[in-house]
Amino acid sequence: MKEKLKNGIAFVVSMIMVCFVFVGAAVWNGGSKDVFAVGNYETDSSDAPKVYMTTDITPESLVKVYNKLGFNAEGKVAVKMSTGEPPNSNYLRPELIKDLVQSVDGTIVECNTAYGGSRSSTAMHKQVARDHGFYDIADVDIMDEDGDMTINVPAPKTGASSRITTNRVGSHLQNYDSLISLAHFKGHAMAGFGGAIKNMSIGIGSTAGKCLIHTSGRSSTSPWGGNQDNFCESMADATSSVVDFFNGKVVYVNVMNRISIDCDCDGNPAEPDMHDVGILASTDPVALDQACIDIVYNTDRSESGTLINRIEQRNGLHTLEHAEEIGLGSRSYQLIDIDSEDENLPEMSYANGAVTILGLSGEANLIHASYRNGVLVAAEILKAENGTQPVNAYKGDKFFLWDSVASMKPLFAAITVNDGAELPEITPVPEADKTLVVYYSATGTTERVANYIANAADADIFELEPVDPYTSADLNYSNSQSRVVREHDNPELQDIELVSTSVPNWDEYDTVFIGYPIWWHSASWVVYNFVKDNDFTGKTVIPFSTSASSGEVGDDIIKDMTATGDWQTGRGFRSSESRNETLIKTWVDGLNLK
């Protein structure tokens, strides 16, 4: 669930607080390093996505290149990587990734394999992860331990056609709020190469989902016998479904070390012919994989030839072609060498009530932040200039040097004040109203709208889950014997038992959105027991609905079920509107919630 800011600080201060986690512990190392040549897809265009690169493959540089993305890893964070097939695969070692995973309080996530081996069952997979040391640094979640779930592949943004329209992933994926793809870039026996897109598709697919990707939807029990180009396209489609599921709250890191022609799913891979390259990161998975491919193709063929042959034998570049066609990302990119960036960085120090800045070559901002018990309580934005300037700082305050508040690009590591007086007591700002979004979603459409509303209203979310979930066959409205038709025709069957109708801290919420699909021009009866079981006294209640085409709110029945609460005029969203986050945010903003 999203946590609301507790201190009512102005917008710019909130923005600063979001970013402190990424700059507070940065360590800047000087010295130039060569970045390997890249290919035709690198561009100087400012419109192209950025790919950040360091040639230093260390825990510190992994954190550093990730921090360059400026990503807010909010809520529960999944770190998707391969736990590696024993006994000798080239998986990313725990000692390399530990600092990054722990800096975001991440959970390492995986799904079971479809080809047999030592990770084809949850028990064996957990043992491998334990043997390889991952449980020593973080929690590990085999996401299809309790089965899988189906998520939709969004319609391509460009008018191209998707190879698959649904994707089956580990059911635990729904437990996470944001995701970091941490991939080992290398070859792959079937895909040609494995990077961000493979990690996000095959890696997140359940056993059945992996089979469906490999066979382009033909089989959920066997990964063999699919068409190669269709397989490449299905990987890109599956990746787009995961990105859509997280509403874009995903970033991507590729580590180019131990670059064998074989994948980490091979327990005895070929020894690498190619030297270690570095770590690359981007918010665009297509740009990231393309940058890695360009580096491979611009490396001397005496090193890269075997990998290039593997890629071309499997037509691996078609994955990137299709990914760009469906709007997953751009093959064009800007490559930013963060090693050379550091050569001319300014220096900053604090002593005796003054901050000193040296070597600043352009405009910058000095951010002075004050904390109490680890919580940001005040912040001031100052113009940064070379020289020494007095500051009124308290013990525990921090100073950040950024090129601008908008970009939040750090120019020096944060400085913490260790001397001076304690911060005086601050009168707390009254809390804003707390908002909750309650919803039932039959197909994922209402869930998507609920998430957009929660983001716009800074609200918590509570999902209504039937004890006996509805299947796709249950929701066949044209079949007189389907569950939903029988329940409609027999109201005594509409008493749907829910996993829970009790919201934690229910009394704390001032505004409650209630969302549901429209069934026969009314709210789905799945929400009835929630409405009947809760007292809405003192709460503003705002219904919202989703339907294929009608746009009805359909809230008459549920309003009549309770005599409490201030029920407002709601909003119905057609299926065609359910993906329009801007439309939904504009509606929420117009409600003028506190």
Side-chain angles (χ1 to χ4, degrees), residues 445-446 516-519 545-552 572-578:
T445 302
T446 309
Y516 42 82
I518 290 292
W519 290 353
S545 67
T546 59
S547 63
S549 59
S550 71
E552 299 170 278
F573 295 95
R574 297 177 177 87
S575 296
S576 59
E577 298 172 322
S578 68

Side-chain angles (χ1 to χ4, degrees), residues 127-291:
Q127 187 60 54
V128 170
R130 198 175 306 278
D131 293 343
H132 286 174
F134 292 111
Y135 277 93
D136 295 334
I137 67 168
D139 291 335
V140 178
D141 181 5
I142 309 303
M143 292 191 293
D144 56 346
E145 177 179 7
D146 298 313
D148 63 10
M149 65 180 186
T150 299
I151 60 177
N152 293 325
V153 174
K157 303 172 184 177
T158 58
S161 298
S162 298
R163 181 60 58 181
I164 57 175
T165 58
T166 59
N167 182 24
R168 286 174 65 173
V169 298
S171 64
H172 293 185
L173 190 69
Q174 62 191 319
N175 298 334
Y176 298 92
D177 303 294
S178 52
L179 185 146
I180 299 169
S181 168
L182 180 54
H184 176 216
F185 186 90
K186 67 285 175 188
H188 188 269
M190 299 183 72
F193 74 93
I197 293 176
K198 178 186 174 295
N199 194 41
M200 291 282 290
S201 56
I202 297 295
I204 291 178
S206 63
T207 299
K210 289 175 170 64
C211 294
L212 289 167
I213 294 170
H214 275 282
T215 62
S216 309
R218 288 173 45 214
S219 174
S220 62
T221 58
S222 171
W224 315 117
N227 175 276
Q228 181 63 26
D229 283 359
N230 293 352
F231 165 50
C232 293
E233 293 176 10
S234 296
M235 283 196 295
D237 294 338
T239 298
S240 71
S241 73
V242 178
V243 175
D244 183 67
F245 181 81
F246 280 99
N247 295 317
K249 296 184 180 109
V250 186
V251 289
Y252 314 88
V253 181
N254 284 357
V255 180
M256 299 187 72
N257 71 337
R258 297 286 299 170
I259 310 171
S260 168
I261 63 170
D262 293 319
C263 179
D264 298 344
C265 57
D266 190 327
N268 291 287
E271 276 296 305
D273 292 322
M274 188 169 164
H275 58 261
D276 291 351
V277 172
I279 307 172
L280 293 84
S282 182
T283 58
D284 185 316
V286 184
L288 178 60
D289 278 356
Q290 183 65 60

Side-chain angles (χ1 to χ4, degrees), residues 268-513:
N268 291 287
E271 276 296 305
D273 292 322
M274 188 169 164
H275 58 261
D276 291 351
V277 172
I279 307 172
L280 293 84
S282 182
T283 58
D284 185 316
V286 184
L288 178 60
D289 278 356
Q290 183 65 60
C292 294
I293 286 289
D294 285 351
I295 289 172
V296 171
Y297 271 76
N298 282 275
T299 298
D300 190 280
R301 292 299 174 99
S302 64
E303 295 186 36
S304 63
T306 54
L307 178 55
I308 290 174
N309 287 340
R310 171 61 58 84
I311 293 169
E312 294 182 349
Q313 287 170 359
R314 302 295 185 266
N315 199 19
L317 300 185
H318 185 56
T319 301
L320 299 176
E321 293 171 346
H322 183 69
E324 186 174 55
E325 286 178 356
I326 63 174
L328 178 60
S330 167
R331 296 180 75 181
S332 299
Y333 59 89
Q334 303 175 67
L335 188 69
I336 300 174
D337 174 10
I338 69 171
D339 298 328
S340 62
E341 265 190 347
D342 294 348
E343 293 177 2
N344 300 312
L345 287 173
E347 298 181 1
M348 180 174 65
S349 60
Y350 170 86
N352 303 319
V355 170
T356 300
I357 300 174
L358 300 174
L360 189 64
S361 59
E363 291 188 359
N365 290 276
L366 179 65
I367 314 298
H368 176 195
S370 297
Y371 296 81
R372 178 172 293 282
N373 298 323
V375 177
L376 179 69
V377 295
E380 183 180 13
I381 303 174
L382 307 170
K383 183 176 181 180
E385 297 178 334
N386 287 314
T388 300
Q389 63 185 97
V391 290
N392 184 24
Y394 295 94
K395 186 175 182 180
D397 284 8
K398 291 186 179 182
F399 288 92
F400 299 83
L401 186 61
W402 291 347
D403 68 342
S404 72
V405 176
S407 70
M408 300 177 290
K409 175 184 175 183
L411 300 177
F412 195 80
I415 290 175
T416 302
V417 176
N418 294 317
D419 59 11
E422 297 286 344
L423 183 69
E425 290 294 330
I426 295 177
T427 302
V429 178
E431 291 189 6
D433 283 355
K434 287 193 68 174
T435 302
L436 176 70
V437 178
V438 178
Y439 73 92
Y440 166 65
S441 185
T443 63
T445 302
T446 309
E447 179 180 26
R448 181 167 52 248
V449 174
N451 281 317
Y452 288 157
I453 292 173
N455 288 337
D458 192 22
D460 295 340
I461 282 186
F462 185 81
E463 181 182 6
L464 300 178
E465 302 177 80
V467 171
D468 181 15
Y470 288 79
T471 67
S472 57
D474 291 337
L475 296 169
N476 187 343
Y477 302 97
S478 61
N479 182 351
S480 62
Q481 297 305 309
S482 72
R483 175 181 173 184
V484 73
V485 173
R486 286 186 288 106
E487 289 174 347
H488 171 259
D489 295 341
N490 300 277
E492 66 274 10
L493 300 178
Q494 295 177 9
D495 183 16
I496 306 300
E497 182 182 1
L498 299 174
V499 172
S500 177
T501 60
S502 178
V503 176
N505 305 313
W506 169 254
D507 292 340
E508 296 181 7
Y509 293 101
D510 308 283
T511 300
V512 178
F513 288 85

